[in-house]
Structures are given as structure tokens and as C-alpha cells.
Amino acid sequence: MEKILIRRAFFYGDLEKVFTKQHGKEISYNNLLDIDAALNLIDEFSEPTVAIIKHNNACGVATRKSLLDAWKDSLACDPVSAYGGIIITNVTIDEITSIEIDKIFFEIIIAPGYSDKALDILKQKKNRIILARKDGLKTDSVFRSLLNGVSLAGEGQKQRIKGRNETCDYQGPRTR
């Protein structure tokens, strides 16, 4: 576990188990929030999909047979809000798609891989954060801060949680 100081906040974890940073500036606290939202969203899809996230909200998502078509259709959802956001996909980014993606400003792009030419194109912006996502790091548990506490959500698990003054049993959602 590493401890990273992020603008009066700390992140405890190992980002290198989730992705390899290919390029760009340091990842901020707000970037971490958007990256988390992006990863949780893209994991819902198995066919070529592109999602654009800004301020923890999807402003475009599209699944198509080709990555280029998925990119164009996700951007068409809300091209104004997409500016400065995070782009995530579940397939390797090719040169043709990277040329189109490079036409707008965005802070971060996340993909399982990049062709060599795509990476060269995307690296032209010195501060752009380029992340290559690693396989097999999906979890069923989600922890969130909520109302001065912590929420644990997950499927099919039973957790015993001890608080300062109470203990509760949590059983994940039931399937019908």
C-alpha cells in the first residue's frame, strides 16, 4: 500500500495494480474520483464501448462494433460536457480512433492497451494522463463515505461491521 498526498487528502492503495501510467501529469483527487466512476461504468460492458466521464457523471456512452463508431457516438451524446473529461474504453485504442480522440481536450484516457502509433498521437499533449488498465482487478465490494460514515455494498457477501457504538450484519443484495 502506498500513501499519496493529494491536496489535503490521502489515498491509500496501490494504483500500479490497477493500471500502468503511460504518460502525463500527476493524478489529482478529482481525477481519482472520475477514474473510479469510469472503471465502474466500463465494467458493465463486454462489446467495444467508450464512455466519457466528467465530475463523476457519464456525459456519453456508446457500444458499437468498431471502436471508432463507439467513440463518435459517445461524443455525440454531449460534446460540450465531454470537453476536459475522462475517456475510457474496454478495447485497445488504434491509430484511427486516437486521431479522432485527439481533436478535443480531455485530461485522462484509460484503455486496456494502445497501438504504438495511437500512443504516439495521444502523448503529444504533455499533461494528458494516459493509463493502461490491467486485467483481473474487478471487485464486488464498494466502499463509499456517506453521511459522516462508510457504506459497504457488494453482492453475495456477508460482512460483520463494527462501529464505535454498534455492530451490524450486512448481507449483499438478494437474487430472485
Side-chain angles (χ1 to χ4, degrees):
M1 275 306 166
E2 68 183 282
K3 180 171 106 175
I4 302 172
L5 176 61
I6 306 170
R7 291 189 193 171
R8 290 181 265 155
F10 287 94
F11 170 78
Y12 292 93
D14 190 351
L15 296 177
E16 291 178 4
K17 286 185 178 181
V18 181
F19 44 70
T20 302
K21 186 174 175 188
Q22 303 284 326
H23 180 77
K25 64 182 182 177
E26 220 173 292
I27 297 172
S28 73
Y29 173 75
N30 287 336
N31 292 153
L32 285 174
L33 295 175
D34 282 345
I35 290 169
D36 184 60
L39 292 173
N40 286 321
L41 176 60
I42 203 69
D43 286 347
E44 298 293 322
F45 301 92
S46 56
E47 295 184 31
T49 301
V50 174
I52 304 168
I53 307 293
K54 191 165 181 186
H55 306 303
N56 280 320
N57 292 296
C59 50
V61 180
T63 299
R64 300 293 180 265
K65 289 183 180 184
S66 79
L67 179 61
L68 182 59
D69 288 341
W71 161 249
K72 288 178 179 179
D73 289 347
S74 67
L75 181 61
C77 293
D78 187 350
V80 174
S81 295
Y83 184 86
I86 287 182
I87 299 166
I88 188 165
T89 183
N90 57 358
V91 295
T92 297
I93 295 181
D94 56 46
E95 178 184 8
I96 294 169
T97 306
S98 69
I99 290 168
E100 292 301 311
I101 288 172
D102 196 52
K103 291 180 180 179
I104 70 160
F105 168 72
F106 60 90
E107 278 200 81
I108 299 173
I109 186 161
I110 306 166
Y114 303 85
S115 73
D116 290 339
K117 289 184 179 183
L119 201 52
D120 289 341
I121 290 165
L122 295 170
K123 282 183 174 180
Q124 291 177 13
K125 307 285 191 298
K126 81 172 193 174
N127 288 329
R128 178 179 291 157
I129 299 167
I130 303 172
L131 304 173
R133 185 176 185 192
K134 296 181 179 178
D135 286 336
L137 292 166
K138 297 175 184 172
T139 180
D140 289 335
S141 299
V142 177
F143 291 88
R144 294 278 186 234
S145 61
L146 179 67
L147 302 171
N148 200 27
V150 177
S151 168
L152 167 65
E155 285 204 32
Q157 61 187 345
K158 186 171 183 179
Q159 300 287 333
R160 186 122 177 112
I161 304 167
K162 294 182 180 180
R164 194 172 3 172
N165 295 322
E166 71 263 356
T167 300
C168 66
D169 286 324
Y170 167 78
Q171 178 66 46
R174 297 173 193 221
T175 56
R176 296 179 195 191

